[in-house]
Amino acid sequence: TGIVTATAFIPSQGQLSHRNLVQNGAMRISQRGTSFTANGYSVDRWYRTYSSGTAALTQSALTSGAPFDAGFRYTLRHTQPGSAMSDSADAYVNPQIHLEAQDLANSGWNYKSASSYLTLSFWAKSSVAQTFYHYMIAHDGTAQAFSFGYTLAANTWKKIEVQIPGNSNLTFNDDNGSGLTLYFNLYFGTGRTDAGNTMNTWAAWNSSSRTPVQTNTWFTTANATFDYTGVQLEVGSVATPFEHRSYNDDLVQCERYYQTTYHGSTQDQPRMDLGFSASDTQVQSVHHYRTIMRDTPTPTQSGAFRVDGNTTKDVTSITFTYVSNVSCQVNYFTGAGLGSNNPYIIRGHSDADARLNFDAEL
């Protein structure tokens, strides 16, 4: 009496939590900003390359529609240039995400077996009705590729589900290198496509046969848009409901690959670190990352800095030494007058965007 028995236990394969092998699949985390035009990283973990034109990539808010009802509030949107693009054999628009090999190797997927599966699911919407083709590459050993396609009606959200079987030719090293890349390709010219490409099966990687031949309507339509969100890659042959996590969980996952000292506030003088004057012209501090990073990061600095303590000095240059995946030493150089062994606070100089950035992306 009073006991309710579940009719199904989902997922039937893979772990109950942290089953999504994709970080930031809901496009919530965007430490670098929310609008981009250059090739490179955009919202956290998502990278895009394109051949020409000024194409916008934005983290866009969702306020209605099927993904909104399923708990998604953001999408990653690619917008084509305002003038129609000219097609060519070498044209491409290629968003992508790189996944660590060890995450695949330790996922529980028996990737050598054709009867063991990963399932990829996501929401997609295009302003132009057509068929789109995406693909993925397993990089270790002899690289293998897997392509798939789907058709969208104009301005209509659709949930895509793709079953990906194992294959005896697949290899995933137990390391922090790039093991699998998912390419959410929006267009390739004929130089990268092949009418003989066979979808939904693994084959040796061939850069001239990434997908079947693609329709160029979306690519050549001025201001055409493409949105996607809710990307989930999980062990098993069934797409389970998206694993919504707390904002902090998503952020910590992303900070393994990229983190910055300051973002998302209007404070005009963000405090960075506490250091001491190692000489009359230099303040040193040890910066510990909030999350241990995937590998030794590339550090950069943006914005204007100042040191406050025994005196106040503008920072003229910054260098990084003893850089590891846990911490680094940051050296702030100023004009003379700091004194020796005096404590200093390092802060932005009336600059809300002053920050230290650490990049360990794949």
Side-chain angles (χ1 to χ4, degrees):
T1 302
I3 297 176
V4 177
T5 302
T7 57
F9 187 73
I10 297 176
S12 59
Q13 293 177 274
Q15 63 269 29
L16 296 180
S17 68
H18 295 84
R19 63 187 181 274
N20 191 358
L21 298 171
V22 171
Q23 301 86 28
N24 202 27
M27 314 302 177
R28 297 176 72 192
I29 310 300
S30 195
Q31 297 182 79
R32 297 172 177 86
T34 58
S35 182
F36 313 86
T37 55
N39 283 332
Y41 282 95
S42 55
V43 302
D44 278 60
R45 302 281 22 254
W46 292 94
Y47 188 89
R48 181 197 59 178
T49 60
Y50 60 91
S51 54
S52 61
T54 303
L57 195 66
T58 54
Q59 180 198 48
S60 299
L62 288 172
T63 57
S64 62
F68 182 89
D69 295 339
F72 298 99
R73 296 299 179 265
Y74 295 98
T75 177
L76 186 58
R77 171 174 295 171
H78 178 103
T79 304
Q80 282 291 84
S83 299
M85 295 292 292
S86 177
D87 192 12
S88 72
D90 295 327
Y92 59 89
V93 182
N94 205 19
Q96 59 202 256
I97 184 169
H98 300 260
L99 307 180
E100 284 185 60
Q102 62 186 349
D103 289 344
L104 276 300
N106 293 278
S107 65
W109 178 35
N110 183 10
Y111 53 85
K112 292 288 187 182
S113 171
S115 60
S116 182
Y117 291 84
L118 290 180
T119 297
L120 174 67
S121 57
F122 58 95
W123 289 94
K125 182 178 75 169
S126 167
S127 62
V128 175
Q130 71 168 63
T131 297
F132 292 88
Y133 298 107
H134 302 336
Y135 67 107
M136 62 191 70
I137 301 175
H139 299 282
D140 293 329
T142 300
Q144 302 291 309
F146 182 99
S147 63
F148 62 94
Y150 57 91
T151 300
L152 297 179
N155 299 308
T156 304
W157 282 105
K158 183 176 183 179
K159 188 174 183 182
I160 310 302
E161 299 179 3
V162 183
Q163 282 70 45
I164 305 155
N167 185 281
S168 59
N169 293 321
L170 291 175
T171 299
F172 293 103
N173 297 334
D174 192 10
D175 61 26
N176 65 351
S178 183
L180 184 71
T181 302
L182 307 179
Y183 293 92
F184 287 76
N185 172 252
L186 304 182
Y187 185 67
F188 271 142
T190 55
R192 295 175 171 86
T193 62
D194 176 13
N197 180 277
T198 302
M199 294 191 296
N200 301 305
T201 188
W202 290 99
W205 162 242
N206 180 350
S207 63
S208 299
S209 181
R210 306 184 193 204
T211 74
V213 175
Q214 300 187 12
T215 303
N216 69 0
T217 309
W218 180 90
F219 179 77
T220 57
T221 299
N223 296 310
T225 61
F226 191 97
D227 292 81
Y228 59 104
T229 191
V231 182
Q232 182 156 286
L233 181 68
E234 59 189 308
V235 175
S237 58
V238 176
T240 67
F242 184 84
E243 185 181 9
H244 291 282
R245 297 173 181 163
S246 71
Y247 182 90
N248 188 67
D249 283 349
D250 282 341
L251 178 60
V252 168
Q253 276 205 329
C254 292
E255 286 180 337
R256 174 171 170 78
Y257 304 91
Y258 177 87
Q259 56 184 272
T260 183
T261 54
Y262 194 79
H263 58 91
S265 174
T266 58
Q267 183 181 343
D268 65 353
Q269 298 178 7
R271 270 55 178 172
M272 306 291 170
D273 278 312
L274 180 66
F276 74 100
S277 53
S279 71
D280 196 46
T281 60
Q282 178 188 2
V283 171
Q284 293 180 351
S285 72
V286 176
H287 180 79
H288 292 272
Y289 315 135
R290 290 185 296 274
T291 302
I292 295 175
M293 304 197 73
R294 180 191 66 85
D295 204 347
T296 300
T298 299
T300 58
Q301 161 260 327
S302 56
F305 288 75
R306 175 173 282 182
V307 295
D308 274 343
N310 184 53
T311 186
T312 298
K313 291 286 184 180
D314 293 345
V315 174
T316 57
S317 64
I318 296 175
T319 63
F320 301 87
T321 52
Y322 305 106
V323 182
S324 74
N325 68 334
V326 176
S327 65
C328 68
Q329 179 176 304
V330 190
N331 311 297
Y332 302 87
F333 293 91
T334 70
L338 295 173
S340 295
N341 298 315
N342 291 318
Y344 282 90
I345 292 173
I346 297 100
R347 64 172 176 83
H349 179 196
S350 299
D351 188 343
D353 196 45
R355 61 178 76 186
L356 304 177
N357 313 298
F358 302 92
D359 189 334
E361 294 281 6
L362 287 158

